[in-house]
Amino acid sequence: MEMNSIFEKFGIVTDLAVEAHSLVRGDAQTEIPGVIESKEKFDIAEVTTIIIENPAAGSLMGKAPGTYITIDTPGLRENDPPLHDKISEILASKIETLLKNLNIADDAEILLVGLGNWSATPDALGPRVISHVMVTRHLHKYLPQSLGPGFRPVSALSPGVMGITGIETAEIIRGTVEKVKPSCVIAIDALAATNVDRICSTIQIADTGINPGSGVGNQRMGIDINTLGIPVIAIGIPTVVNAAIIIFEAFNALKKEIPGFARQIQEPTLNQIADKLLAPFGGDLSVTPKEIDTLIDNAALCIATALNQSLHKAVGKENAHLFLQ
Amino acid sequence: MEMNSIFEKFGIVTDLAVEAHSLVRGDAQTEIPGVIESKEKFDIAEVTTIIIENPAAGSLMGKAPGTYITIDTPGLRENDPPLHDKISEILASKIETLLKNLNIADDAEILLVGLGNWSATPDALGPRVISHVMVTRHLHKYLPQSLGPGFRPVSALSPGVMGITGIETAEIIRGTVEKVKPSCVIAIDALAATNVDRICSTIQIADTGINPGSGVGNQRMGIDINTLGIPVIAIGIPTVVNAAIIIFEAFNALKKEIPGFARQIQEPTLNQIADKLLAPFGGDLSVTPKEIDTLIDNAALCIATALNQSLHKAVGKENAHLFLQ
Amino acid sequence: MEMNSIFEKFGIVTDLAVEAHSLVRGDAQTEIPGVIESKEKFDIAEVTTIIIENPAAGSLMGKAPGTYITIDTPGLRENDPPLHDKISEILASKIETLLKNLNIADDAEILLVGLGNWSATPDALGPRVISHVMVTRHLHKYLPQSLGPGFRPVSALSPGVMGITGIETAEIIRGTVEKVKPSCVIAIDALAATNVDRICSTIQIADTGINPGSGVGNQRMGIDINTLGIPVIAIGIPTVVNAAIIIFEAFNALKKEIPGFARQIQEPTLNQIADKLLAPFGGDLSVTPKEIDTLIDNAALCIATALNQSLHKAVGKENAHLFLQ
Amino acid sequence: MEMNSIFEKFGIVTDLAVEAHSLVRGDAQTEIPGVIESKEKFDIAEVTTIIIENPAAGSLMGKAPGTYITIDTPGLRENDPPLHDKISEILASKIETLLKNLNIADDAEILLVGLGNWSATPDALGPRVISHVMVTRHLHKYLPQSLGPGFRPVSALSPGVMGITGIETAEIIRGTVEKVKPSCVIAIDALAATNVDRICSTIQIADTGINPGSGVGNQRMGIDINTLGIPVIAIGIPTVVNAAIIIFEAFNALKKEIPGFARQIQEPTLNQIADKLLAPFGGDLSVTPKEIDTLIDNAALCIATALNQSLHKAVGKENAHLFLQ
């Protein structure tokens, strides 16, 4: 499990439970006790559900216990709105599944939170989703006659990142939760993957909230039931791979090619090489595709459509477009 | 006082105390009891201080009792950074004056709040100031050794507008204030004026916070000591004039030109004309200069520079640039 | 025809042939010789075709002789993509009509030109259309095997405005036309209307190109067959009304209300009043709705969809989305 | 010279003459005939001038013959405007040197060209410089009395990238040059480096124009005296490193660490590893620091300031700010 030392050294975690699971299972793909993985096939997507049953399994996986659903769907990268509508439908049904698991009623109030930095493209997924999603809480409160049946109260917040606010994001959300008193928070965040293949082609939904250290912007405090007092569903899409990961993936591939390589060259030497190559920005370098601006715009619309559909009975797959902002 | 009926009808208020004062004093410019106005001249600006001494005077003025400082400085519109630095200096000294009046200590924590909508240009002043200002609260907390002496803890928030969040802005701020526990809030907002001459040429600073109904985005709840429990300094710059105001200003000018005009034509007729012309967008039409994008960028930098200077002893007029984000 | 003196004084023209026609016909709506107007009704739109038959009629109308098609469709303002798709279909069929009138073959090369200023929202319609439209010229040239049948060569340019380039826009386009050698230019521009009701609810298509002085950014030279040597189709949507127009519309409405008003007060006095109210920005003040950012985004997508559909046989109304960039 | 095969394979070139020179000289740093390198030291920068004297030397270097000036100045990455002003001064003096070498007169007309894609952050350097730079050509032509002495005619163009226009950028520029008839073009472009240390800390100015294949956006045709018929000065700043380069740099570092590594493992194997890791986006993955948005904004202002200063005698280092747009 050499990757772990790398993760520790560079403060990198994979935000994806499927990647963590595969990593922990290792080349032999041994079963991990307390972790259940199952798969569903759709014509446009493969959905993997990983349930981490207990803290012991969570500790092995470096993830909180709970349910992690991963939708793998390379079509999300294509510029094909009708295909994105189909992805939104799958995502919407999975959000509904998690809300049901958490016993959130159909009319219970939800607070959406867009994590990340509006003005740093690869970290802007959350705020962009917020700018597209329908909010109804103020209408319920001030103009109830303007809403037909089938719309629950939904509010939304883009709190910003600590470098711009000076405040832990979790604190701003907690303060708002205490005023708004929703039944559940759904937090959207840009994730870091360990494989470029996952950039803007994977969507992860989890009922465990956001762990400290996760996301492109690296949350300091968790955003979960422990910090907020209410359940938190997290929706994330990988938008970057840390540049250090790319180097170590290359070294790992080499190890498999050259017998004895692992003995010949020590971990510390590899660390030194990566350190030196990436030093100028404190290792804080990301790998992104050139078309990242477009990819993130499309992904944000796809998530916003799914949220509108899953949160309001009155919004179906045929009319979901009508409620995008 | 025909303007009042107009204001009521269209839900328009002037956000500027100097305009309200002039309007209430009328053509005869009679003194208003409980309102004190004084002026200072600078080579690049004229500064007017209006003190509303009691609720009775406040009610006449349509403004909360307190101190309103207006800096009139047409140079803010020019593309002249060294001139803007001089404006920042004047603004910084006036912010310091109000902080002193409110007995806020030099090292007391401040929360900056950028009101308005990031993605609607004329309403984006507040969020753009927040994106440029230096925040230090997280450094005080996690990296105190990274700060020399002379920096107080400052945090910053752009809560968004109710149309996007579904939450009254004051509620988000109140929730954050309860977590961050600053001594004072400084709120920055784009204002509506009644005169195009004031667009991006006037800065108003007041120790009364933000009144309900004010700002381009029209706050519903006040953001002041009553709602937040701590003093609120408001900094605003007019960026629009409501289109209805332009029409009524034209009618008012006509009344002065034509003797008997006021008798000949009734207020309801004028209201009908304006209503009909502006109907399509519910009267929600703004007059702005074409170069509003640039004007607001410059104004935001000017306010951010003044905030850095007035809040931190270690930041002087020579090095203020260094601390812009 | 008092409006004319206003237009001259403030350098304002209406960019819309339907508005000019109505204005020239006056209250009595007399027929103008050489101008033919006809109407078509759709459930979501009313389409007016005005043909200016000869230079004499053009001179009366202040417009070049040719065909002007206006689509009035308030639904363009609503946030309703399926409705916008229907508007795109109507627009596409009208673009096809004009291309046929001009004898442009189905496989003839087209250059799209997005006029206006990318970073001034109400003037950004043209550049935003260009950012969404499909271009194929480089594929025809370098990767012909990547294109199926039914795609003609299309290129696209956003030349910028003279305040930013220092060059007449027509010159940049002419230079590019000489290199690219298309059969026809289609130019997209944000227009100025005289009525707020038309903002983002009217689309005008004309086979006459762009006249000097037209558009939000005020072209200095025409962009038409005379300057470019090839036919130019112009597509425009009003995004602003000049603030001076609003004032004069209010005065005109007053004239109808008060008998004798026109005698009582002279045109020069009205001009002086408007001048004084709008002086600070040299009269260069626009009236726009607050949600202009969103309106323009939607309108740009609608035009881009129509262009993709009308220019390529392989793009139909069902798959038009697939080709948006 | 193993790097060459890599460059060929991935279509990557280093856009920097200093990197190419170091690479070609190899570990032994042997002299290359026909290449002269000299250095100047400033307190905030080191300036390296490389003269490629003839086509033979150019062929070895993979660069056109001419003068390449590199300013290495890590301060460009810091948020320190007064320091950026000093960098602008050095850059301005070097632009003047190249203009003098090319015999461009003080009042000769210049066309500035911002290469790259406005809406893809790491490729937006050129268009952002254009948005800040002062243009005077239209004033010379239409309002000569508005300009004092010491301003030459300057125009500016952001032609866009071929993926958006369908037209080779060089063709649009050539068309414009034929209309505007400047004496010289200065083209600004975001560059690709082979070392992350150079991202936003190096400025290269060359009198050779832009070579095919260079820049983040990969020009297809050269933009130089051969294609335009007039001299072209190129100003570039590296904003990305191709992800493939990072991997190969890591392998190169390993080779130095492990004796015999180069023999043990073949080049094709390394290529396969890199290919596989970077496959999903066709190898088109960039490494950028997280703060790239801010870095590029600052770099664009720095270049625009230097251009204003070097092109107009009336603009000095004290008043350069006044002329930024």
Side-chain angles (χ1 to χ4, degrees), chain A residues 169-190:
Chain A
T169 309
E171 287 280 41
I172 301 174
I173 300 170
R174 189 155 68 170
T176 304
V177 162
E178 288 175 11
K179 298 301 163 203
V180 171
K181 300 195 198 315
S183 299
C184 176
V185 160
I186 300 180
I188 303 100
D189 200 7

Side-chain angles (χ1 to χ4, degrees), chain C residues 3-321:
Chain C
M3 285 300 278
N4 274 0
S5 61
I6 294 158
F7 287 163
E8 279 157 26
K9 181 171 169 38
F10 285 87
I12 302 160
V13 289
T14 174
D15 292 328
L16 294 171
V18 282
E19 287 192 346
H21 196 206
S22 168
L23 210 61
V24 173
R25 294 175 75 186
D27 292 345
Q29 290 295 292
T30 50
E31 293 291 317
I32 309 298
V35 180
I36 300 168
E37 185 175 308
S38 60
K39 283 190 188 293
E40 267 172 291
K41 292 263 182 197
F42 295 80
D43 56 340
I44 56 158
E46 189 180 73
V47 176
T48 308
T49 301
I50 291 178
I51 300 171
I52 303 180
E53 295 184 308
N54 51 53
S59 163
L60 269 169
M61 293 274 287
K63 301 262 151 232
T67 301
Y68 297 82
I69 302 173
T70 306
I71 304 173
D72 284 309
T73 180
L76 187 57
R77 272 187 210 154
E78 284 162 41
N79 205 17
D80 183 347
L83 179 52
H84 292 185
D85 285 349
K86 288 184 195 159
I87 298 172
S88 293
E89 258 186 82
I90 300 175
L91 176 55
S93 77
K94 295 306 170 187
I95 297 171
E96 283 168 40
T97 303
L98 292 190
L99 286 169
K100 195 165 286 176
N101 287 358
L102 294 167
N103 291 315
I104 309 296
D106 281 358
D107 58 353
E109 183 161 343
I110 307 273
L111 170 63
L112 305 174
V113 175
L115 299 169
N117 185 349
W118 181 264
S119 40
T121 310
D123 195 22
L125 180 71
R128 290 203 197 168
V129 169
I130 296 308
S131 75
H132 289 306
V133 94
M134 175 174 53
V135 297
T136 51
R137 182 180 174 271
H138 56 317
L139 302 175
H140 270 279
K141 212 165 159 183
Y142 299 113
L143 285 170
Q145 70 283 12
S146 72
L147 280 172
F151 292 96
R152 71 163 90 214
V154 171
S155 56
L157 185 70
S158 292
V161 294
M162 194 163 67
I164 284 174
T165 63
I167 312 169
E168 294 86 353
T169 309
E171 289 280 40
I172 301 174
I173 300 169
R174 190 155 66 171
T176 305
V177 162
E178 288 175 11
K179 297 299 162 206
V180 172
K181 300 195 198 310
S183 300
C184 175
V185 160
I186 301 181
I188 302 101
D189 200 8
L191 303 181
T194 65
N195 188 324
V196 294
D197 202 17
R198 291 199 178 279
I199 291 179
C200 289
S201 76
T202 292
I203 309 171
Q204 176 175 278
I205 333 155
D207 63 5
T208 55
I210 306 271
N211 302 137
S214 71
V216 171
N218 292 327
Q219 302 304 327
R220 258 179 177 269
M221 289 171 65
I223 297 165
D224 57 18
I225 197 166
N226 299 319
T227 50
L228 302 187
I230 53 171
V232 179
I233 292 177
I235 302 178
I237 292 183
T239 62
V240 299
V241 171
N242 189 297
I245 293 274
I246 294 277
I247 294 178
F248 285 104
E249 288 287 345
F251 289 156
N252 279 338
L254 255 189
K255 286 179 191 170
K256 289 179 194 158
E257 290 292 330
I258 314 186
F261 174 95
R263 252 169 304 134
Q264 244 181 315
I265 190 148
Q266 307 301 317
E267 204 68 21
T269 311
L270 297 181
N271 286 346
Q272 271 171 31
I273 289 173
D275 262 4
K276 216 179 141 192
L277 284 173
L278 305 175
F281 293 88
D284 216 356
L285 288 152
S286 300
V287 176
T288 49
K290 278 192 191 167
E291 64 269 38
I292 188 70
D293 288 86
T294 311
L295 290 172
I296 284 183
D297 277 344
N298 287 342
L301 279 169
C302 189
I303 294 178
T305 306
L307 286 168
N308 287 350
Q309 247 178 279
S310 58
L311 298 185
H312 305 288
K313 285 200 159 175
V315 181
K317 61 180 179 177
E318 326 70 30
N319 64 353
H321 275 129

Side-chain angles (χ1 to χ4, degrees), chain A residues 142-212:
Chain A
Y142 298 114
L143 285 170
Q145 70 282 11
S146 73
L147 280 172
F151 291 98
R152 72 163 89 212
V154 171
S155 55
L157 185 70
S158 291
V161 293
M162 194 162 70
I164 284 173
T165 63
I167 311 170
E168 293 84 354
T169 309
E171 287 280 41
I172 301 174
I173 300 170
R174 189 155 68 170
T176 304
V177 162
E178 288 175 11
K179 298 301 163 203
V180 171
K181 300 195 198 315
S183 299
C184 176
V185 160
I186 300 180
I188 303 100
D189 200 7
L191 304 181
T194 63
N195 188 323
V196 295
D197 201 18
R198 292 200 177 277
I199 292 179
C200 288
S201 78
T202 291
I203 309 173
Q204 175 175 277
I205 333 156
D207 60 6
T208 55
I210 305 270
N211 302 139

